[in-house]
Amino acid sequence: MFMVKNSWTRAIRKKLTVMKNLFLIRHAKSSWDNSQIQDHERTLNARGLQDAPNMGKTLKALYASPEKIISSTACRAKETIALIKAQWCPLQRVEYDKLLYEGSASTILDKIQTFPSEISSVALVFHNPTITQLASLLGSSSIPSMPTCGVVILSSKNEKWKFLEVGSCTIENFEFPKKS
């Protein structure tokens, strides 16, 4: 009996680790009220402060917590993931990477390809137009423009992140605050 259960458990774990899931999260709506503030320092406005926790609740209802979260170093991205995380995955640690603030779709894909194979799900929080470009490239689908606090969920049957490339993912879902 133990052998059967152990084999079954290993088979389930193998199946779960074969698929890679990528959550591309655009920061929530930010404030443009103070023109003296540098772009990197802009914070969320009232709508962003409302949308981010609601998106966290939506993600919690639909998906397990990601195994890794990396956010842009911009204030609005940090605030967004803090509010989403509080609802979706409160115990998960967040890493911050400036590359997600200033990098291109190509350099962010290069970063994704370095993730350890043992990790099967990652959430990245960053900015337009790069997030829209990356989602469109990986999913081989044209996304006109990712709305603020939008989340594209991509999956890949690749066993290793290093094999992710243009067109290698399927767009599983596209969540955003005004989705009807």
Side-chain angles (χ1 to χ4, degrees), residues 36 65 72 111 123 166:
Q36 303 300 316
S65 300
S72 158
K111 168 110 179 146
V166 173

Side-chain angles (χ1 to χ4, degrees), residues 47 51 55 147-149 175-180:
R47 191 173 102 202
D51 288 347
M55 184 55 68
T148 53
C149 211
E175 292 290 334
F176 50 94
K178 293 184 179 180
K179 187 174 181 180
S180 37

Side-chain angles (χ1 to χ4, degrees), residues 3 75 101 105 126 144 178 180:
M3 294 289 279
C75 289
Y101 177 69
F126 58 117
K178 293 184 179 180
S180 37

Side-chain angles (χ1 to χ4, degrees), residues 73-132:
T73 57
C75 289
R76 59 193 180 274
K78 289 178 175 181
E79 285 181 298
T80 298
I81 194 55
L83 293 167
I84 288 175
K85 186 175 103 55
Q87 300 298 321
W88 183 24
C89 47
L91 302 177
Q92 190 62 273
R93 186 168 99 45
V94 179
E95 296 174 28
Y96 299 97
D97 191 330
K98 194 166 186 172
L99 176 70
L100 292 177
Y101 177 69
E102 55 192 22
S104 66
S106 176
T107 58
I108 293 171
L109 177 56
D110 289 345
K111 168 110 179 146
I112 292 167
Q113 291 170 334
T114 68
F115 295 159
S117 299
E118 299 77 34
I119 295 173
S120 61
S121 61
V122 177
L124 301 177
V125 184
F126 58 117
H127 311 271
N128 241 1
T130 310
I131 195 165
T132 298

